[in-house]
């Protein structure tokens, strides 16, 4: 019996930064219904799909999403009523066609993604299947290695330093649960290291990591390496480091402005610096090391470091197939960061992880810096088989909803933990 969409409802809710976002409820004729909540970024790439905001300064400083909510209830809902909720591709194609613009700027990618996810979850409820299993289809699901934010800078910590994320990658563990235990110990050890180095910590940054005003961008790498050791783990072997440079956000007039370090670098200077740091610290992943439109620079960075580390495109690709194809052709990166709301439907999101695998690239499913308590993306990460997931840190409930969901999936299934196998091409021995 087909699972038919009966009705969609939508609501303006708040994300983890207290900014409005969209929630959608899908009800099927079987009686099953489910909600989905849409995340929102801060360090957004120029080529992302459009997040529709009202622009009415009298409400939430113009950031309200009432128009997106209305688009779900008045336009998208009636158009998908009667469709088969289990046929995600047909549903998403209808949504894409209804909008009709490349960036989903007419109806809003936030409105469209809410519908795409809510219908998928309602279908999984009706089928009595865990969401990850319903989403996985022919793919090989697994528990992903989390890439966990320990120190934050850039737009997630009021520009305390320029680099945005210093992440712990706990690949050398047999289970997801053991990996979580390790990163929690490292997060705590990082607090102790930072205090011992004389810095004041008064709270956590947007993604739950520490956001200290350290003396230099490199110093966070020292602190994180020391924290891994102090927590009792072997850097590089059990736990490696990831960087999200998010460099588009401090690139001005042709230069990367590392104000904290008193340095201005061009692209070759950035590549040199990243290479030096990869020599000195157990760096296994470098995201957005160069700005979002420097295709030649990216190819040079990947040629220089791509055998030793994951060269990961976030703002570069924005989960957009045209940009991903260009990156594959030009060897601009060896990995793609995948965010549902950068593109706006589940079908397009899976297209990116599937294409990466086919092209021999790695993929990392990611949350946004503005999240909600919805853990949909955790199921997506499992279903994609990507083997890597970027959930933010191990504090703040919008982050823990994802960790806790993955712990639950691991406990209730036989799925393997992706572990060090994901990084085999970089880790010798
Ligand atoms: C990123 C994300 C998550 P934002 O840059 O990778 O860390 O941040 O959602 O602000 O784009
Ligand atoms: Mg990023």
């Amino acid at each position: 019996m087909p699972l038919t969409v009966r009705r969609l409802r939508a609501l303006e809710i708040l994300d983890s930064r207290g900014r409005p976002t969209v929630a959608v409820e899908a009800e099927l004729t079987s009686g099953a219904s489910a909600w989905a909540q849409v995340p929102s970024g801060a360090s957004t790439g120029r080529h992302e799909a459009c997040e529709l905001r009202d622009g009415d300064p009298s409400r939430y400083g113009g950031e309200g999403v009432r128009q997106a909510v209305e688009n779900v209830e008045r336009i998208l809902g009636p158009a998908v009523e009667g469709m088969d909720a289990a046929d995600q591709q047909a549903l998403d194609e209808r949504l894409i066609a209804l909008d009709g613009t490349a960036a989903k700027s007419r109806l809003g990618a936030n409105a469209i993604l809410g519908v795409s996810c809510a219908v998928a979850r309602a279908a999984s409820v009706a089928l009595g299947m865990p969401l990850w299993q319903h989403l996985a289809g022919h793919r090989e699901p697994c528990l992903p290695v989390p890439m966990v934010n320990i120190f934050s800078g850039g737009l997630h910590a009021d520009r305390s330093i320029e680099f945005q994320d210093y992440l712990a990658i706990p690949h050398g563990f047999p289970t997801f649960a053991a990996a979580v235990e390790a990163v929690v110990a490292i997060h705590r050890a990082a607090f102790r290291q930072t205090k011992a180095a004389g810095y004041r910590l008064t709270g956590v940054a947007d993604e739950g990591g520490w956001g200290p005003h350290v003396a230099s961008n490199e110093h966070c790498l020292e602190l994180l390496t020391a924290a891994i050791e102090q927590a009792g783990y072997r850097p590089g072997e059990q736990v490696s480091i990831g960087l999200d440079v998010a460099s588009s956000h401090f690139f001005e007039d042709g230069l990367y402005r590392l104000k904290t370090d008193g340095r201005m670098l061009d692209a070759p200077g950035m590549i040199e610096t990243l290479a030096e740091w990869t020599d000195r610290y157990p760096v296994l992943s470098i995201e957005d090391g160069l700005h979002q439109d420097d295709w030649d620079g990216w190819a040079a960075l990947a040629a220089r470091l791509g055998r030793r580390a994951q060269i990961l495109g976030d703002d570069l690709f924005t989960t957009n197939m045209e940009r991903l194809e260009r990156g594959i052709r030009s060897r601009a990166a060896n990995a793609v960061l995948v965010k549902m709301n950068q593109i706006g439907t589940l079908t397009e999101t899976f297209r990116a992880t599937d294409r990466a695998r086919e092209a021999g690239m790695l993929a990392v499913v990611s949350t946004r810096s503005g999240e909600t308590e919805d853990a949909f993306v955790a199921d997506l990460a499992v279903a994609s088989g990507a083997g890597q997931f970027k959930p933010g840190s191990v504090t703040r409930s919008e982050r823990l909803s994802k960790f806790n969901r993955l712990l639950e999936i691991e406990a209730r299934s036989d799925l393997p933990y992706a572990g060090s196998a994901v990084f085999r091409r970089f880790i010798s021995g």
Side-chain angles (χ1 to χ4, degrees):
M1 194 191 77
L3 304 169
T4 308
V5 179
R6 178 190 283 153
R7 187 150 75 116
L8 299 182
R9 270 184 280 237
L11 196 63
E12 182 184 67
I13 60 164
L14 297 178
D15 72 12
S16 55
R17 276 190 280 249
R19 295 173 77 210
T21 189
V22 178
V24 175
E25 184 187 32
E27 192 187 310
L28 309 186
T29 48
S30 69
S33 71
W35 281 92
Q37 303 174 336
V38 177
S40 169
S43 66
T44 46
R46 190 182 293 159
H47 307 284
E48 292 193 19
C50 166
E51 185 175 77
L52 192 65
R53 298 213 176 257
D54 298 338
D56 168 2
S58 69
R59 299 188 65 248
Y60 291 117
E63 293 184 329
V65 293
R66 279 186 175 165
Q67 186 59 53
V69 164
E70 198 178 307
N71 291 346
V72 173
E73 298 206 332
R74 297 243 175 110
I75 301 173
L76 297 166
V80 301
E81 258 169 45
M83 286 191 81
D84 180 2
D87 188 348
Q88 192 70 39
Q89 190 174 331
L91 179 100
D92 288 341
E93 275 164 12
R94 172 80 60 91
L95 300 174
I96 292 165
L98 278 167
D99 181 89
T101 68
K104 302 187 176 64
S105 51
R106 193 170 87 83
L107 302 174
N110 43 353
I112 291 170
L113 181 65
V115 175
S116 187
C117 293
V119 172
R121 184 178 266 143
S124 80
V125 170
L127 292 165
M129 225 184 243
L131 179 57
W132 62 265
Q133 197 179 350
H134 171 59
L135 294 176
H138 59 86
R139 300 173 189 89
E140 283 178 38
C142 62
L143 269 306
V145 177
M147 185 183 266
V148 182
N149 181 297
I150 305 294
F151 291 114
S152 286
L155 294 174
H156 297 172
D158 200 23
R159 294 190 188 273
S160 52
I161 51 176
E162 286 73 33
F163 276 37
Q164 181 184 282
D165 299 347
Y166 295 75
L167 307 125
I169 308 177
H171 49 80
F173 296 87
T175 62
F176 179 77
V180 169
E181 209 176 306
V183 285
V184 168
I186 292 164
H187 186 265
R188 294 205 178 135
F191 177 82
R192 292 193 296 272
Q193 290 287 339
T194 308
K195 268 184 75 168
Y199 301 114
R200 256 169 64 82
L201 285 169
T202 52
V204 294
D206 282 8
E207 298 196 348
W210 310 111
H213 284 270
V214 291
S216 72
N217 285 282
E218 185 177 353
H219 197 187
C220 272
L221 279 167
E222 273 172 57
L223 291 170
L224 179 49
T225 309
I228 294 169
E229 281 170 346
Q230 195 190 69
Y233 301 105
R234 293 185 296 281
E237 218 177 291
Q238 290 174 296
V239 185
S240 297
I241 293 180
L243 287 172
D244 182 359
V245 184
S247 65
S248 301
H249 305 282
F250 56 88
F251 180 77
E252 270 167 56
D253 304 327
L255 289 173
Y256 297 94
R257 292 167 193 267
L258 293 171
K259 290 196 184 122
T260 312
D261 306 348
R263 292 204 296 170
M264 308 241 247
L265 300 174
D266 56 10
M270 275 294 271
I271 295 174
E272 197 49 44
T273 301
L274 292 168
E276 279 168 22
W277 292 0
T278 304
D279 281 339
R280 252 176 255 158
Y281 307 95
V283 173
L284 183 58
S285 178
I286 301 171
E287 179 180 335
D288 286 354
L290 294 171
H291 84 81
Q292 56 202 337
D293 291 308
D294 184 7
W295 292 96
D296 293 342
W298 271 85
L301 173 64
R304 177 78 184 272
L305 288 175
R307 273 181 301 279
R308 296 162 59 190
Q310 170 165 265
I311 305 301
L312 178 58
D314 171 13
D315 291 353
L316 178 73
F317 293 133
T318 56
T319 318
N320 177 302
M321 282 307 281
E322 272 169 43
R323 295 185 69 84
L324 181 57
E325 291 298 346
R326 179 169 177 181
I328 292 168
R329 278 196 308 277
S330 60
R331 296 177 196 274
N334 58 25
V336 55
L337 197 83
V338 175
K339 293 166 167 169
M340 300 188 279
N341 80 325
Q342 279 183 334
I343 193 67
T345 64
L346 284 175
T347 300
E348 292 163 289
T349 304
F350 278 116
R351 227 168 253 161
T353 56
D354 291 347
R355 179 68 181 115
R357 183 178 302 108
E358 193 186 287
M361 283 171 84
L362 296 173
V364 182
V365 173
S366 178
T367 58
R368 298 308 306 243
S369 54
E371 271 295 330
T372 67
E373 59 273 27
D374 190 347
F376 192 107
V377 66
D379 283 72
L380 175 83
V382 170
S384 71
Q388 292 186 75
F389 179 44
K390 194 178 170 202
S393 199
V394 284
T395 66
R396 301 181 52 137
S397 287
E398 80 280 6
R399 308 287 147 198
L400 297 173
S401 67
K402 281 65 169 178
F403 280 102
N404 292 341
R405 174 65 182 154
L406 291 173
L407 289 168
E408 182 190 347
I409 293 173
E410 183 166 69
R412 291 195 187 159
S413 72
D414 297 325
L415 296 179
Y417 177 53
S420 291
V422 179
F423 303 102
R424 201 178 292 126
R425 65 180 80 179
F426 307 121
I427 301 170
S428 49

